[in-house]
Amino acid sequence: MPTNADCIFCKIVAGKIPCLKILQDAHGLAFLDIGPIAQGHALLIPAGHYVTLDEMPAEEAAALLKHLPALGRAVQQATGAEGFNVLQNNGSAAHQLVQHVHFHIIPRRTGDAFHFNWPAGKYTPGQGEALAERIRQGLV
Ligand code: AMP
Ligand code: ZN
């Protein structure tokens, strides 16, 4: 399992830095975010040091993500939230600040203070088909 001695989340996995732990197994760890967007905002992180999601072996990602349904249910139940977002940032352009993969589980309530700008666009004829094909070609 890759690790990075300078990484704050690797230190949390190793127990060298404290966290408010929710669950831990051989593949990952869930704990409360130190700067919650809403009460109960949790993070799910792999035990191994991977900077972005696309670096992760599929088996490690699957073993980590199996926790998401139960985590989402438990966070909602504990907070009385009406819903939750799963958010995962890759790269500084995507607002990734901590360089170790993490999934945010963010409890949501109607009218709460967390807003997305969601600038939905559209494809010109043929553009979407060409793009889907390019993406299919890139799947490995
Ligand atoms: P991101 O912008 O997706 O990289 O988010 C990083 C998240 O990590 C932020 O929500 C921080 O509040 C959170 N975070 C950073 N350090 C800690 C820590 N020591 N314990 C818990 N959460 C942390
Ligand atoms: Zn790390």
Side-chain angles (χ1 to χ4, degrees):
M1 199 76 86
T3 191
N4 180 326
D6 300 323
C7 169
I8 186 160
F9 282 2
C10 283
K11 289 179 187 169
I12 289 177
V13 169
K16 292 177 182 152
I17 289 182
C19 71
L20 294 169
K21 192 185 291 186
I22 298 169
L23 69 85
Q24 185 163 24
D25 67 11
H27 303 284
L29 168 68
F31 54 102
L32 289 183
D33 193 294
I34 206 168
I37 284 179
Q39 300 286 294
H41 175 177
L43 299 175
L44 176 65
I45 71 171
H49 181 81
Y50 305 101
V51 176
T52 54
L53 183 59
D54 49 290
E55 290 183 2
M56 287 189 74
E59 297 72 23
E60 279 303 312
L64 178 70
L65 295 183
K66 72 168 187 244
H67 293 302
L68 270 180
L71 259 179
R73 280 193 296 274
V75 164
Q76 279 193 106
Q77 185 249 316
T79 61
E82 298 161 38
F84 65 98
N85 287 115
V86 174
L87 198 61
Q88 199 273 318
N89 303 328
N90 297 284
S92 57
H95 199 278
Q96 181 178 11
L97 299 178
V98 175
Q99 304 303 307
H100 180 129
V101 168
H102 49 281
F103 290 80
H104 296 264
I105 296 101
I106 304 171
R108 299 302 306 272
R109 286 190 165 76
T110 305
D112 66 19
F114 185 37
H115 300 293
F116 288 115
N117 177 26
W118 196 285
K122 53 176 76 160
Y123 294 114
T124 56
Q127 195 181 27
E129 287 79 355
L131 190 50
E133 176 56 18
R134 276 214 299 284
I135 294 171
R136 281 195 292 272
Q137 295 298 326
L139 289 176
V140 282

